[in-house]
Amino acid sequence: MKRSLYILAYSAVLGTVCAALLTGVAGATAERREANQRADKIRNILSVLEIEYDENASPEQLDSLFAEAVEDKSSGDIELYKSKAGVNPNIVAVGFEGQGLWGPIKGYLAVDTKTRRVAGMTIYEQEETPGLGGEIGNPDFQGRFVGRRFVGPVGKAGIVIVREGAPVAENEIQGISGATVTSGKLQQIINQAIERLMEEMKANG
Amino acid sequence: MGDGVWKQNPICVQMLGICSALAVTNKLANALVMSGALIFVLAGTGLFVSLLRTITPRRIRMIAEVAIIATFVILFDQFLKAYYYPMSRQLGPYVGLIITNCIVMARAEAFALQNKPIPAVLDGVANGLGYTFVLGTIAFFRELLGSGTVLGHTVLASEWYEPNQIMILAPGAFFALGFLIAIINAVSPSLREAQP
């Protein structure tokens, strides 16, 4: 009995000390970590909208560039951005996020609302299996979205991620072998954002 | 102390921690940061496991070790996220996975639990250096042959050297580690016999 009590007390003290230490460090670095994450998000929006930026810019510099070059058209539950000096005024970046296989997947899809084609895709947060589903973070894979239509042949909104190497229709994108679940989830997440965007477009004419 | 670096090298002789050794060695810089993280965790864990060795109840010692290891790993991870964000993105989940790196647990169980704090820290650092040596070597060759660069500086000019993509990809890691172990076994056959 005394022995178990000692074990309990020992675990409680060790647990508390470790937790206190981690909480302290997490609190102390929170601001910097958040700034880094925000900067990463901004980099993604800028690159998907094809706005040039300095790779080594500090989070503060990115903040001001973002305010200068990007028009934030987000409303309610949809994240929408437009380039202020963009060559093509029909391009908007729409944020997408949802649950992947292991964790959240978050990113941006740039689309031309007139031609209904994808102009770019980036992902700034994902925890998919490295080497398999994790390849969705790879620019090569993201490049496969460019130029594809986000409306199907019968007019239904949405993209389809198909098997790698399969013949592709206009709104189909080659997936990643060995990453069936991730591909399926990503398709679902992106299509939700596309549907939301279409509603928004209808509402605003 | 020398044992951890060479005679009982954690990767080549004890065959521990191979997973991360294969995963983060496509660039030398990644490998070095990862090694730094492991040295930090090994030294910290060694110190605390050793300090607490007389008061830790035997039955829950492994849980206590994991708690200590996890604390140090998360500390390092937070530090990377705050100050070296791009590096933290490149290493992805592998820093967090140090928690399950067999080297750390093995050293805590096999050495720190039976020895005084200072030797325990030295043992941790020595094993960390052994890990660094292997990761550094593998990463050096993978980056050199795979991208023609060392620490991002071009060494093998693209005019006459065609980077061998496979060295960057996963199979390259297996080749490199296999060659390294083969060479080490060839130059010092005694290591093979020293294997447990």
Side-chain angles (χ1 to χ4, degrees), chain B:
Chain B
M1 160 109 191
D3 278 9
V5 182
W6 182 251
K7 258 198 257 163
Q8 282 290 326
N9 185 293
I11 298 181
C12 287
V13 179
Q14 300 182 49
M15 298 289 167
L16 296 174
I18 290 184
C19 168
S20 60
L22 297 174
V24 299
T25 49
N26 54 354
K27 281 193 196 134
L28 188 53
N30 292 3
L32 293 181
V33 172
M34 185 70 180
S35 301
L38 197 83
I39 294 179
F40 170 75
V41 174
L42 273 168
T45 312
L47 177 66
F48 279 89
V49 169
S50 174
L51 280 175
L52 297 174
R53 73 187 186 286
T54 50
I55 59 162
T56 304
R58 257 196 81 73
R59 266 196 289 170
I60 59 156
R61 67 177 198 288
M62 291 187 112
I63 301 170
E65 283 159 19
V66 173
I68 295 170
I69 295 169
T71 307
F72 279 102
V73 171
I74 298 171
L75 281 182
F76 196 89
D77 198 31
Q78 300 270 358
F79 169 77
L80 273 189
K81 281 204 174 107
Y83 297 98
Y84 295 95
Y85 193 67
M87 180 51 79
S88 141
R89 304 253 340 172
Q90 290 222 348
L91 291 176
Y94 292 104
V95 174
L97 285 175
I98 294 179
I99 295 176
T100 57
N101 189 312
C102 333
I103 301 174
V104 191
M105 193 76 186
R107 291 329 290 172
E109 270 286 296
F111 196 89
L113 218 49
Q114 279 98 37
N115 288 279
K116 291 215 170 77
I118 292 170
V121 171
L122 288 179
D123 176 74
V125 173
N127 273 278
L129 287 175
Y131 181 83
T132 310
F133 163 71
V134 175
L135 256 71
T137 314
I138 297 177
F140 175 79
F141 284 106
R142 282 184 74 191
E143 192 183 333
L144 184 68
L145 300 175
S147 332
T149 59
V150 171
L151 283 173
H153 302 290
T154 305
V155 176
L156 299 173
S158 53
E159 290 98 57
W160 54 271
Y161 182 76
E162 178 77 32
N164 190 347
Q165 270 265 309
I166 199 164
M167 290 310 288
I168 303 258
L169 302 173
F174 286 95
F175 292 145
L177 181 64
F179 273 113
L180 188 66
I181 294 177
I183 292 169
I184 287 182
N185 277 341
V187 285
S188 51
S190 63
L191 292 187
R192 214 169 358 186
E193 283 143 33
Q195 267 182 44

